[in-house]
Amino acid sequence: MKLIVAVHFDGEQANAAAVAFDSWDAAEPAKTCVSRIARVEKAVRGEPDLRELSCVMQLLGEHRLEPELIVIDGFVHLDADDTPGLGQHLFQALGGKVPVVGVSKKRLPGLSAQFEVLREEESPPLIVTCAGIDIGAAKVRVRAMHGRKRVPTLMKLAARLAKNPG
């Protein structure tokens, strides 16, 4: 089982959502779950915002999820020099055993065209970064995900569940 995770902050609280899927072109989730995080620490000014990491770890533990791969809405690394982003910290927190693919709608200056993926000729491209899986393989899989628009169907679902869990 593969997972797409998303976190939505609401003041000091957050919702973390997971959408499980088996095949990359799946239109429907195999399973969904949401965790409510009662208190999230504020981001430390001048340091990377890693608040999502504890939320995702709580979600995985609370629902006893053991994915073979995790897709996040965000970056695994922040530039071509592999400066760690949320996804790299998640990869390390999981002991380097679960590949993490980051998919972002925004571009960072340190990431070249090699990280871009166009889906269904939608532009601008998505930016794909990863740990524990080859970048070429990650891009092919993201391109194959269900949905005719720029953002894959199940990624949209994860974001919706995190924002409106009820």
Side-chain angles (χ1 to χ4, degrees):
M1 156 193 71
K2 295 169 254 319
L3 278 185
I4 298 170
V5 297
V7 177
H8 177 76
F9 296 100
D10 185 14
E12 291 185 354
Q13 301 177 335
N15 293 318
V19 171
F21 63 103
D22 294 313
S23 71
W24 285 96
D25 61 351
E28 298 289 328
K31 170 182 170 178
T32 63
C33 48
V34 178
S35 289
R36 181 81 174 149
I37 293 86
R39 180 147 167 67
V40 179
E41 296 297 320
K42 290 185 178 181
V44 178
R45 199 173 193 76
E47 294 193 17
D49 185 354
L50 298 176
R51 296 176 300 157
E52 289 182 42
L53 180 60
S54 62
C55 298
V56 171
M57 294 305 287
Q58 181 176 325
L59 172 78
L60 295 174
E62 199 172 287
H63 296 278
R64 294 182 179 88
L65 299 170
E66 295 182 7
E68 66 191 55
L69 180 141
I70 296 176
V71 177
I72 63 167
D73 178 359
F75 297 97
V76 173
H77 49 86
L78 306 176
D79 53 35
D81 295 328
D82 293 341
T83 301
L86 170 67
Q88 184 67 40
H89 289 279
L90 177 60
F91 180 69
Q92 291 169 345
L94 296 171
K97 296 182 179 122
V98 180
V100 177
V101 175
V103 179
S104 179
K105 297 175 284 298
K106 62 184 176 186
R107 177 184 303 278
L108 290 178
L111 294 171
S112 66
Q114 90 177 61
F115 298 100
E116 296 177 357
V117 171
L118 282 171
R119 288 181 31 84
E120 299 290 326
E121 299 176 21
E122 289 277 328
S123 62
L126 293 172
I127 306 301
V128 175
T129 54
C130 57
I133 181 174
D134 175 75
I135 184 66
K139 288 170 58 175
V140 165
R141 286 169 175 87
V142 169
R143 193 175 293 116
M145 291 178 81
H146 182 272
R148 297 189 50 89
K149 299 291 181 185
R150 181 175 176 225
V151 178
T153 303
L154 295 181
M155 287 192 74
K156 288 180 185 175
L157 175 60
R160 267 196 317 275
L161 289 171
K163 195 168 188 173
N164 303 305

